[in-house]
Amino acid sequence: MPWDDVAAVELLSEPGDEPPTGEAAAEPGPQDAVLRYEYRGAQVVEARGDYDMHSLGPLTDALNAAAATHPKVILDASGVTFADSSFLNLMILAHRTGKLRVAAPSTQVRRLCAITGVEDVLEIRETLSDAAAT
């Protein structure tokens, strides 16, 4: 799927609010979406769907915008259903800013991190709350 077919939605909430539920993302489609919102003083970028070199554009833009405006960026990777080396490279580049934490990675993202050895490099947390607290 071309990157311009992937919906990018920006949601901003008050600091300390609970993360938005899936209702807000229902309009662009439940499978492929990038959501961005504030949570406990951090900027959260929530990725859902498949990510490869053709569909990474909206996620890259969201992570760059979040890193430019917030000292802490959390990538909620719980909804990622497929990720390849392009996605891995994006996480590593975002990590190099010193701002990225990866929250609740899906099985696919965990496997990708484990087989490449970056699980020891990236700041991976089990939950969104854990990532926001560190």
Side-chain angles (χ1 to χ4, degrees), residues 20 33-37 44-48 51 59 74-76:
V34 176
L35 301 141
R36 193 169 71 120
Y37 56 91
V44 177
V45 176
E46 182 180 337
R48 293 193 217 157
Y51 292 95
L59 181 57
I74 301 170
L75 173 60
D76 180 347

Side-chain angles (χ1 to χ4, degrees), residues 51 80 82-92 105-119 122 124:
Y51 292 95
V80 176
F82 173 80
D84 70 359
S85 60
S86 302
F87 181 84
L88 180 67
N89 188 49
L90 177 61
M91 287 193 305
I92 293 168
S106 66
T107 303
Q108 291 76 12
V109 174
R110 283 185 191 280
R111 184 168 187 268
L112 181 64
C113 291
I115 63 175
T116 58
V118 300
E119 63 188 0
L122 298 175
I124 300 175

Side-chain angles (χ1 to χ4, degrees), residues 52-78:
D52 60 22
M53 65 185 245
H54 300 291
S55 61
L56 210 56
L59 181 57
T60 302
D61 294 344
L63 285 171
N64 287 337
T69 60
H70 284 76
K72 185 187 299 185
V73 176
I74 301 170
L75 173 60
D76 180 347
S78 61

